[in-house]
Amino acid sequence: MLRVSNLKLGIDEDISLLKKLILKKLKIKENELIKYFIYKESIDARKRGRIDFVYTVDVEVKNENKILKNSIKDVVEIKQRNYIGVEMGSEKLKHRPVIVGSGPAGLFAALVLAQRGFNPIMLERGLDVDNRTNDINDFWNNRKFKNNSNVQFGEGGAGTFSDGKLTTRIKDIRCRKVLDELVNFGSPEEILYSHKPHVGTDILKNVVKNIRNEIIRLGGEVRFDTLVTDIITENGSIKGVVVNNNETIESEVVILAIGHSARDTYKMLYNRGVTIIQKPFAIGARIEHPQELINKSQYKEFYNHPRLGAADYRLIEHTSNLRTAYTFCMCPGGSVIASASNEFEVVTNGMSEHARDKVNANSAFLVNVIPSDFGSEDPLAGVYFQEKYERLAYELGGKNYNAPVQLVGDFLNDKVSISLGNVEPSYKPGYTFVDLRECLPEFVTSTMKEALQKLDNKLNGFAMHDAVLTGVETRSSAPIRIVRDEETLQSINTKNLYPCGEGAGYAGGIVTAAVDGIKCAEKIIEKYSSL
């Protein structure tokens, strides 16, 4: 098959014209074209007064070698378009594989193992997505927080209550497996080719439920409200886990996909001698603008064109103090959400539904944090660093889960805001005007200030006075890494324990976490035979 890139159609040109572009590019007749698939669709809005859709397509033709001999620009041969699973091993398992966590890493590890006949057991500390949704709404609307059922814990992991972004920089055929399965279980088909694919929380809820039901149909088991409270080891190898402090589940292989907020599990693992090290991450706040402002800034006179959805952005600035400020997890037409995983803490995140049709755009606005900032050599020092500022935010907000809020203009001038402008904060259950310097480190706020004014030159209106900063955002990635062998993917000192995904420090988003889950599942499949 051939991959043909850089095929452009104007914003008002019909997609049916793509076939003509392919024929022209390859210099072939229509009867020589067997079929084609859109591999990627992106938007080019760099030229003033013009917006193009740019396509990469995979093409099957009658005489591929003839075309390749012509060395046509933007045309390459591809050997493998779809994921092919690994060969199965022969060693016998005494017990079913255990997967801890049902976020993207755990979910896809369990799915792949179930598809190959391993009948895995997936353990989730939180609740199923329907009950979880009810608990989250109760927290947002009535301030009733539940430790085991919230934005961080429950079926689908933290990614379920997000924008459902599927962008990734990794080039791995397993990414295609992830996207294909998401479509199989209810995601929109355009995620297969969109340059910036997303699903949206409203659709993701059903997708994760459908994947869970498929794991069960194939012989797997999924258990909710099941917290791993201890691990069992013997001679440096995993032998099982203890759940809810009262039940032992034996297994020779355990995939640990616990997510980046399982602090109690981090502490348990550390106390059990599993090697954990500090890792850099980032903290800051959510920044909210009118979505229309972002649309106009990015798309100019085309901002309300029916083929264009809500615009997004990705910004980065290196500041004079040698720090980096950047936007992360941008949610067009979305909301800032309360995302605490423990009582007496305020944590923010962003969420969009598939339509991305809310009036505000929001993004994390973060500053890098490095281990020397933690003030301790303790491997868990980054966790304590996060907790410190989340608790300060809780206290500053009024000790009722209100989020601390400041208008960008007032933040730049060290003034506590007294009223809102054109942006109504979307965070629920509520907000309190504060000086954000009181719940963020000084190096973070000073970096944010310098970057805000510079980034306004890159995206007009980014530093508008009325834009809203909502604190604090601390969970962009895990503050630790559970160290594993690069070849076997096992913990370096606990054999057959597979640290996996974001929580183990090896991924940074839905797709990369899911891919890591597949990789860990493959290691088990390569060694053992199915049950």
Side-chain angles (χ1 to χ4, degrees):
M1 188 167 280
L2 302 174
R3 182 158 291 165
V4 183
S5 57
N6 203 29
L7 300 172
K8 291 188 177 183
L9 289 173
I11 192 170
D12 292 315
E13 290 185 290
D14 192 88
I15 189 68
S16 63
L17 295 174
L18 188 57
K19 185 177 181 180
K20 289 185 177 180
L21 291 180
I22 295 170
L23 298 175
K24 182 179 179 181
K25 184 82 168 180
L26 298 181
K27 300 176 183 177
I28 60 175
K29 295 179 180 180
E30 188 169 351
N31 64 0
E32 296 177 82
L33 175 64
I34 299 173
K35 56 185 175 181
Y36 69 91
F37 311 89
I38 297 175
Y39 176 75
K40 184 183 294 183
E41 176 191 74
S42 58
I43 296 173
D44 183 353
R46 292 174 296 176
K47 293 181 180 178
R48 182 168 291 276
R50 181 179 178 87
I51 289 183
D52 291 317
F53 283 83
V54 185
Y55 294 92
T56 298
V57 295
D58 290 345
V59 181
E60 191 174 335
V61 296
K62 289 183 179 178
N63 194 339
E64 184 177 298
N65 289 332
K66 177 183 175 182
I67 294 172
L68 288 172
K69 286 179 181 178
N70 292 333
S71 300
I72 302 171
K73 184 181 179 183
D74 300 324
V75 178
V76 296
E77 183 182 19
I78 55 169
K79 299 291 186 183
Q80 182 182 349
R81 187 173 193 269
N82 296 311
Y83 171 80
I84 300 172
V86 297
E87 290 189 16
M88 191 176 293
S90 58
E91 192 172 330
K92 296 294 182 182
L93 277 172
K94 295 179 181 178
H95 306 282
R96 299 160 74 179
V98 166
I99 297 97
V100 184
S102 72
L107 205 61
F108 273 84
L111 177 63
V112 169
L113 286 169
Q115 288 172 336
R116 300 297 295 272
F118 282 81
N119 303 340
I121 302 173
M122 185 167 67
L123 309 176
E124 169 55 53
R125 67 188 293 161
L127 303 186
D128 65 275
V129 73
D130 292 326
N131 284 304
R132 182 187 182 196
T133 298
N134 292 335
D135 291 334
I136 289 170
N137 286 331
D138 201 21
F139 175 46
W140 290 347
N141 295 321
N142 304 310
R143 306 175 193 270
K144 294 181 180 178
F145 177 78
K146 290 189 72 172
N147 278 311
N148 71 327
S149 184
N150 49 60
V151 168
Q152 306 293 347
F153 300 143
E155 185 173 20
T160 302
F161 290 84
S162 68
D163 182 60
K165 270 180 285 295
L166 304 174
T167 49
T168 177
R169 295 181 184 179
I170 64 172
K171 305 295 183 183
D172 191 310
I173 195 64
R174 299 175 186 86
C175 294
R176 186 70 188 192
K177 166 74 169 174
V178 174
L179 297 179
D180 281 339
E181 294 293 7
L182 289 173
V183 170
N184 289 341
F185 293 110
S187 296
E189 192 171 352
E190 64 258 27
I191 69 170
L192 295 175
Y193 55 81
S194 174
H195 178 55
K196 296 180 179 179
H198 85 287
V199 180
T201 286
D202 49 335
I203 295 177
L204 270 173
K205 291 177 186 178
N206 289 323
V207 172
V208 298
K209 193 189 307 184
N210 292 338
I211 295 176
R212 176 236 298 174
N213 290 334
E214 178 68 0
I215 291 167
I216 295 170
R217 187 188 72 80
L218 292 170
E221 181 181 347
V222 179
R223 295 176 57 176
F224 297 108
D225 201 14
T226 304
L227 172 64
V228 172
T229 49
D230 206 351
I231 59 171
I232 301 166
T233 60
E234 184 179 301
N235 298 323
S237 293
I238 197 79
K239 294 298 178 183
V241 297
V242 177
V243 298
N244 297 336
N245 292 308
N246 60 15
E247 179 188 356
T248 297
I249 300 175
E250 294 183 289
S251 181
E252 309 97 286
V253 288
V254 175
I255 293 177
L256 203 61
I258 56 178
H260 60 33
S261 295
R263 293 166 172 172
D264 48 0
T265 309
Y266 287 162
K267 293 171 185 176
M268 178 272 290
L269 294 168
Y270 178 59
N271 290 334
R272 285 297 181 195
V274 176
T275 301
I276 292 174
I277 61 173
Q278 297 178 352
K279 185 179 78 63
F281 58 101
I283 68 171
R286 279 269 149 185
I287 186 166
E288 272 187 290
H289 301 88
Q291 181 61 51
E292 187 174 73
L293 179 144
I294 306 300
N295 293 347
K296 289 180 177 179
S297 180
Q298 299 291 64
Y299 296 145
K300 306 300 186 290
E301 65 267 34
F302 297 95
Y303 77 94
N304 60 354
H305 194 284
R307 286 199 67 189
L308 299 172
D312 65 3
Y313 58 80
R314 185 174 180 273
L315 302 170
I316 186 169
E317 186 66 41
H318 303 291
T319 54
S320 58
N321 61 358
L322 304 182
R323 298 279 179 173
T324 300
Y326 63 97
T327 61
F328 175 78
C329 186
M330 194 271 165
C331 295
S335 305
V336 177
I337 61 172
S339 304
S341 57
N342 295 95
E343 288 184 292
F344 316 126
E345 296 173 354
V346 164
V347 181
T348 64
N349 198 4
M351 184 182 82
S352 296
E353 294 188 340
H354 182 68
R356 290 176 162 176
D357 57 0
K358 300 288 194 302
V359 296
N360 287 355
N362 77 81
S363 174
F365 183 40
L366 305 176
V367 174
N368 66 305
V369 175
I370 55 179
S372 60
D373 297 319
F374 302 159
S376 168
E377 297 298 319
D378 188 326
L380 301 179
V383 172
Y384 307 137
F385 186 91
Q386 288 177 329
E387 288 176 336
K388 172 184 175 179
Y389 293 101
E390 292 165 6
R391 289 170 181 165
L392 282 172
Y394 174 81
E395 293 173 4
L396 200 59
K399 300 181 180 180
N400 59 359
Y401 297 105
N402 272 9
V405 159
Q406 194 170 17
L407 301 192
V408 164
D410 294 328
F411 174 73
L412 291 171
N413 291 295
D414 297 331
K415 293 167 55 178
V416 174
S417 301
I418 57 174
S419 63
L420 298 172
N422 293 325
V423 182
E424 178 75 28
S426 56
Y427 177 97
K428 293 192 300 184
Y431 61 89
T432 302
F433 288 129
V434 303
D435 183 341
L436 286 174
R437 291 178 300 172
E438 296 183 34
C439 59
L440 287 170
E442 189 280 331
F443 72 83
V444 170
T445 56
S446 62
T447 303
M448 290 168 66
K449 285 180 182 180
E450 181 180 336
L452 270 166
Q453 297 172 84
K454 292 180 178 179
L455 291 176
D456 195 70
N457 296 323
K458 298 179 181 180
L459 194 153
N460 186 34
F462 190 76
M464 65 178 284
H465 178 89
D466 293 353
V468 171
L469 289 166
T470 305
V472 291
E473 169 105 3
T474 53
R475 310 283 181 92
S476 59
S477 66
I480 62 100
R481 176 168 287 123
I482 305 172
V483 186
R484 69 188 188 189
D485 179 81
E486 291 184 8
E487 179 63 29
T488 67
L489 304 188
Q490 298 174 30
S491 162
I492 60 170
N493 68 342
T494 309
K495 190 176 179 182
N496 291 330
L497 179 67
Y498 294 84
C500 183
E502 281 204 40
Y506 293 98
I510 290 175
V511 173
T512 51
V515 165
D516 204 49
I518 293 172
K519 288 180 178 178
C520 289
E522 287 174 344
K523 292 298 181 182
I524 294 170
I525 294 167
E526 286 175 329
K527 184 175 181 180
Y528 300 99
S529 61
S530 57
L531 299 173

